[in-house]
Amino acid sequence: MGSYILCDEMRIKVIFVMVFLFSSDFGLPQLGATLGINYGQVANNLPSPDQALVLINSLKITKTRIYDTNPQVLTAFANSSIELIITVPNEIVEELTNPQQALQWVMTNVQPYIPTTKITGIAVGNEVYTTEDEALMSNLVPAMVALHSALVQLSLDSSIYISTANSLAVLENSYPPSLGSFKPELVPLLAPFLQFLDTTKAPFWINAYPYFAYKDDPIRVSLDYVLFNPNSTGMVDPYTNLHYDNMLYAQVDAVTFAIARMGYEGIEVRVSETGWPSKGDGDEIGATMDNARVYNRNLLLRQMENEGTPLKPNQKLDVYLFALFNEDLKPGPTSERNYGLYQPDGTLAYNVGLTTLTSGASISLTSSATLGCREEVGSLWCWILMLALIRMMMMIL
């Protein structure tokens, strides 16, 4: 009988701690603080933007990036808590070098939706500096300058910044991170771009995928290192003595060093895309559901802790996960169509610790913590709960 009483007392104490954790500022960190998600739409079978919004809100994510200025998305996201980054397609960058065209573009695609839709960033093109399109590359900064001038003219520059997402292929060297440098042929183009970012206080965005490093050299690249798993094969930068236990942080710091090498130390580096494919072709080594689950779960746990990189540990790293949905019309290898956390019908492509529930036309999610963590022992919310409880106990002691 005594043991049952003790059990009941323990349950009451646990419930009290849970209520405290979930209701206080001390408790669980919010995903939306540093984590965003890319909402691509290269598919013919996706849910409506309204349904996508329900899904994103259920994930407690408050930052989203889209690859166009789809008016249906901009309208659907009105009066929500979502901060939205919109994109100027590569095909129209040249025409926006004209100040009048840039002003018209902003007046058509941005101004009508402000402030109900929280547009906070404009990505001008995507991976422009690795397209080998010389005209596009040379037109990028003039288009950014013209768009920024339009924002100033419309009094929108204080709430919306302008940048572009860059492939890691802009780097000539990334190892060790302290030797990070840009390709010499890109330096003349990157100099005015960095000057623009520095002047407007905008971030340098990178699309960083440790998956590709592992796929290309699985013998020498440790899988645990790229998946954020505990490992003994991390690396220590011999010039800074900084220790890296995962490749993504090393990639980010390599870009930071490359920027500093160009004379700009105050520009923040953010990850505009990262993720892991759950399926691939026969030669796409590592593209498996298990690896995708582990990479994204570990990344989410890091983001919950508001971590910074070894070079800038006190500056939380903003990361946008790629992607919300699998997109069946994307060209290229099988992996390109299998980066999504979710299938188009709203069911999980794989479980990172959240359980999908569908009802009628709506899509909703419930954390597996509320289901007794029965989905999987290592589920995301179970780990978060454990971390929070441990933190609480340390504080009490």
Side-chain angles (χ1 to χ4, degrees), residues 51-64:
Q51 291 174 313
L53 176 62
V54 171
L55 187 60
I56 293 168
N57 278 331
S58 298
L59 290 169
K60 306 302 181 185
I61 290 175
T62 60
K63 298 178 181 181
T64 301

Side-chain angles (χ1 to χ4, degrees), residues 335-349:
S335 62
E336 286 295 314
R337 294 175 289 282
N338 289 279
Y339 274 91
L341 289 181
Y342 293 92
Q343 305 287 2
D345 64 1
T347 59
L348 283 166

